[in-house]
Amino acid sequence: MDLFTPVALGELRLANRVALAPLTRMRAGASGVPGDLLVEHYAQRAGLGLIVTEGTYPRPASQAFVGQPGIVTDEQQAGWARVADAVHERGGQIVMQVMHGGRVTHPDVNGGRRVEAPSAIAIQGSVHTENGKQPYPVPHALTVAEAHEVRDDFVAAARRAVAAGLDGVEVHGANGYLLHEFLSPAANVRDDQYGGSPENRARFVVEVVTAVAEAVGAGRVGLRISPEHGIQDALEPDRDDVLATYGALLDQLRPLGLAYLSVLHREPAGDLVQELRRRFDGPLMANSGFGTVTTRAEALELVEAAHAEVVAVGRPAIANPDLVERWRHEHPENEPDASTFYAGGARGYTDYPTLSA
């Protein structure tokens, strides 16, 4: 395998094996409607084999960040349709990451709504709101019936994404947000069918992904997980429990034939990720670049050594809209400006130069 050769992920046909990792950028304004900035940003990066959008909220209460886009209203759907059209006009493929923020939010962010989680356990620390930094609140523990409403909103969001012309969806089960909270024994202390054993903690994620796959087709659906990431208090310190929980999750999802599994982990070629890949029995998108920046050499090695079919890349793709061209021919790269990652506006978002600029 080679990083610059085509690959199929279910129904998705990629021109190369470099994907844009889902990256929170907070440029959609108060309305959550993708505007001209988002259209330009994603269109610029259509040369990547697959674009995975920033996490997009499927219900108002699930908004985690000021300026985060949604996929709840007709206006938001129309904005995403403009993004999809622009990416397709440049020959790209794009899927929407659907993300429920869970307890990683505040009423000052989600429009005064209550904060939802598997259990009433607050994150230690503070959240950025339009009224300054606030401590994370104690969330409302979803009832079983309310959890089913959340599942149905994931499905509605996926239907909207596909109706807007996106090529598929990625269900966000990582990074300490709602679905990851169900998986983590530190965030989930329920005593019903969604809590306790590894199988029970995996159950809600299985139900959400299965329902989404049934709605839009499994070949258009990916799942992102981040076992052992330990971020935002979704702690998973016990390797045996991690393997039992994620193994139960993937054993149940394997028969669906999902498009891909995206795993964020510091050791994508290590025993844990490769065992989960085996249990999934489908294409793996590897992403090691949360703590460290993914390099060209690492991406090449992961694919050439058959540790993954696709590599998801964040910061280099922010700073280099034409990253695939640069990596293919070993051209110098622009350096990303971290001060602009969450700053709003065009600076550090649509103004990085390309080789032809």
Side-chain angles (χ1 to χ4, degrees), residues 222-233:
L223 170 66
R224 184 170 175 87
I225 57 173
S226 59
E228 298 184 328
H229 194 22
I231 194 171
Q232 298 181 143
D233 290 1

Side-chain angles (χ1 to χ4, degrees), residues 17-351:
R17 297 162 184 261
V18 186
L20 176 65
L23 299 161
T24 298
R25 301 305 302 278
M26 299 160 63
R27 258 84 169 180
S31 68
V33 175
D36 292 345
L37 264 181
L38 273 77
V39 172
E40 183 178 2
H41 171 79
Y42 286 118
Q44 286 175 342
R45 287 155 181 80
L48 293 156
L50 182 66
I51 290 171
V52 184
T53 74
E54 62 211 279
T56 303
Y57 60 84
R59 63 196 256 128
S62 67
Q63 181 179 353
F65 306 108
V66 175
Q68 181 185 7
I71 186 65
V72 178
T73 68
D74 291 345
E75 292 77 17
Q76 290 167 347
Q77 181 176 326
W80 280 116
R82 292 182 60 217
V83 173
D85 287 347
V87 170
H88 291 151
E89 284 170 7
R90 297 196 184 188
Q93 295 271 292
I94 181 169
V95 299
M96 177 183 291
Q97 187 187 69
V98 182
M99 168 189 150
H100 188 307
R103 61 183 181 166
V104 189
T105 189
H106 189 279
D108 286 353
V109 174
N110 71 6
R113 298 170 177 87
R114 70 185 181 188
V115 174
E116 301 171 333
S119 299
I121 303 171
I123 301 174
Q124 298 300 307
S126 58
V127 56
H128 173 74
T129 79
E130 290 184 328
N131 297 314
K133 285 200 167 185
Q134 308 268 12
Y136 283 108
V138 175
H140 166 73
L142 292 164
T143 66
V144 170
E146 290 165 350
H148 292 168
E149 292 175 8
V150 171
R151 175 202 62 202
D152 293 345
D153 282 341
F154 268 93
V155 170
R159 290 187 190 278
R160 279 190 178 272
V162 171
L166 284 91
D167 299 293
V169 296
E170 178 179 288
V171 177
H172 196 350
N175 293 15
Y177 301 112
L178 182 74
L179 299 189
H180 192 188
E181 292 163 15
F182 272 92
L183 296 167
S184 164
N188 178 354
V189 295
R190 301 172 71 100
D191 58 6
D192 60 8
Q193 67 261 44
Y194 293 136
S197 69
E199 293 78 12
N200 279 1
R201 281 183 277 117
R203 188 188 309 274
F204 183 61
V205 184
V206 171
E207 291 179 359
V208 169
V209 175
T210 300
V212 169
E214 289 173 349
V216 301
R220 294 177 177 271
V221 177
L223 170 66
R224 184 170 175 87
I225 57 173
S226 59
E228 298 184 328
H229 194 22
I231 194 171
Q232 298 181 143
D233 290 1
L235 305 177
E236 296 166 320
D238 183 335
R239 171 62 71 91
D240 290 340
D241 183 81
V242 168
L243 188 56
T245 304
Y246 287 88
L249 170 67
L250 297 174
D251 285 348
Q252 293 177 80
L253 294 180
R254 182 171 58 247
L256 295 179
L258 297 175
Y260 66 88
L261 176 69
S262 178
V263 182
L264 174 65
H265 194 277
R266 63 186 176 274
E267 297 178 349
D271 292 345
L272 174 65
V273 175
Q274 293 302 309
E275 171 63 12
L276 296 179
R277 180 192 191 189
R278 186 188 69 78
R279 302 279 279 270
F280 177 66
D281 193 27
L284 175 70
M285 183 184 297
N287 188 183
S288 66
F290 194 91
T292 59
V293 175
T294 301
T295 64
R296 177 183 185 275
E298 181 188 6
L300 286 169
E301 170 65 16
L302 284 170
V303 171
E304 290 174 358
H307 294 310
E309 281 71 27
V310 176
V311 179
V313 180
R315 281 159 284 187
I318 287 176
N320 299 275
D322 53 354
L323 183 67
V324 171
E325 184 69 10
R326 290 176 189 264
W327 277 7
R328 190 192 303 269
H329 299 292
E330 298 187 68
H331 291 298
E333 297 176 37
N334 302 319
E335 288 297 319
D337 179 358
S339 71
T340 66
F341 286 172
Y342 313 113
R347 182 168 166 263
Y349 192 64
T350 57
D351 63 352

